[in-house]
Amino acid sequence: MNLKALAYQLRRDTIDIICAGKAGHIGGDMSVMEVLVELYFDQMNIDAKNPEDPDRDLFVLSKGHSMEAYYAVLSEKGFLDKEDVLKNFSKFGSKYIGHPNNKLPGIEMNSGSLGHGLPVCVGMAKAAKMDHKDRRVYVVMGDGELAEGSVWEGAMAAHQYQLDNLCAVVDRNRLQISGNTEDVMGHDDLHERFRSFGWHVIDVKDGNDIDELHAAFEEAKRVKGKPTVLIANTVKGKGSSIMENKANWHHKVPTQEEYDIIMKDLKTAEEALS
């Protein structure tokens, strides 16, 4: 499977979901797509036909506002029905809400209250160790989310318990709803910060590159005695020049004119990679 092209196909699906529901965190959806695609189609031990497999790997989208991208990935993987998502996303009374809902197959945890994902995944990873299970636990966080203190409490605990079955990803797109992340709450040297908490740190220079992500996740599997974090340097709004690196696309529904431009850009990128 050509995962590079698939990421752009699923970006187009994501745009359709956002337009159908008239809501969505479009910028972060676009930046995190390759991370989700690499995890779900190459890395994780999961099966849509057996979503409750006791030996499955576990995933939590801590930056839960990027749910539209997650819907696109889960639908393509077979956990959800794409047409059902399109028809019902963000409608009154729908189970397809704007953040992860663990009443849906394939979703392990309700999330979106920022700072909760990593601590919960620490518990999941510790439980797997106690149960002598060979599963891995993955969590994706936004860089703005790292301003939450609970993230760093979780980071300390992960090191304390030597959770080498835990792999975190920071979607380092450097933008959040109120502007540049470094202006809101600067991270200084984020790599050194995680290292000081006892983590193995992998710098993914282009977090929208499938090959780099693949190599980083494979490296993480080989690390023993400590958790791993991937700092994935991504582009908010990745895929179209009208969205890229623009904070006002954090949460936005494209106009018809914008939709046409974005879909053309995404289709061109997908065809170039096919």
Side-chain angles (χ1 to χ4, degrees), residues 16-259:
D16 283 336
I17 291 169
I18 289 170
C19 290
K22 297 181 174 58
H25 289 83
I26 190 168
D29 286 328
M30 300 296 107
S31 66
V32 80
M33 185 59 79
E34 277 82 7
V35 172
L36 296 179
V37 166
E38 175 61 23
L39 280 170
Y40 270 81
F41 294 91
D42 191 30
Q43 295 293 327
M44 291 173 58
N45 173 33
I46 49 171
D47 184 357
K49 295 178 181 177
N50 186 17
E52 298 300 321
D53 179 1
D55 296 317
R56 70 190 182 280
D57 289 337
L58 302 177
F59 172 80
V60 170
L61 183 66
S62 190
K63 49 168 284 178
H65 50 285
S66 291
M67 188 62 217
E68 300 82 31
Y70 198 17
Y71 280 135
V73 170
L74 289 172
S75 297
E76 184 70 19
K77 191 66 178 176
F79 286 96
L80 304 174
D81 180 83
K82 189 177 298 185
E83 294 306 314
D84 196 32
V85 175
L86 277 169
K87 181 180 177 181
N88 293 295
F89 171 61
S90 202
K91 301 297 191 295
F92 180 75
S94 172
K95 58 189 175 182
Y96 300 112
I97 57 178
H99 286 80
N101 171 15
N102 66 1
K103 298 296 190 291
L104 293 170
I107 297 178
E108 304 290 348
M109 172 191 166
N110 296 345
S111 66
S113 297
L114 298 177
H116 290 192
L118 179 61
V120 170
C121 285
V122 168
M124 291 175 171
K126 177 62 173 171
K129 291 280 190 181
M130 294 172 70
D131 292 339
H132 305 288
K133 287 188 175 294
D134 195 29
R135 66 163 38 135
R136 292 185 63 75
V137 180
Y138 295 93
V139 57
V140 171
M141 301 179 287
D143 52 358
E145 178 179 3
L146 302 185
E148 300 287 349
S150 50
V151 170
W152 302 102
E153 292 179 52
M156 284 190 290
H159 171 254
Q160 175 70 23
Y161 295 113
Q162 300 181 331
L163 299 180
D164 50 19
N165 57 341
L166 174 63
C167 181
V169 182
V170 176
D171 182 17
R172 186 77 162 116
N173 60 39
R174 291 177 170 77
L175 289 173
Q176 55 194 98
I177 192 168
S178 45
N180 187 289
T181 300
E182 298 309 297
D183 294 334
V184 177
M185 187 64 71
H187 295 313
D188 304 313
D189 187 337
L190 190 55
H191 305 72
E192 185 56 37
R193 185 167 293 185
F194 269 101
R195 286 191 191 100
S196 72
F197 276 76
W199 285 57
H200 178 72
V201 180
I202 302 174
D203 181 48
V204 184
K205 289 183 172 55
D206 183 353
N208 295 120
D209 183 271
I210 289 288
D211 293 335
E212 283 194 44
L213 288 166
H214 176 82
F217 281 119
E218 291 299 313
E219 178 181 335
K221 291 176 181 177
R222 297 191 294 269
V223 174
K224 302 302 179 186
K226 61 173 66 176
T228 295
V229 60
L230 277 57
I231 310 298
N233 295 284
T234 63
V235 175
K236 193 143 188 168
K238 176 71 175 179
S240 177
S241 60
I242 68 172
M243 299 187 293
E244 288 185 352
N245 284 318
K246 296 177 181 176
N248 65 317
W249 281 86
H250 177 84
H251 185 287
K252 187 173 180 178
V253 179
T255 64
Q256 184 61 53
E257 181 181 0
E258 290 168 336
Y259 174 90

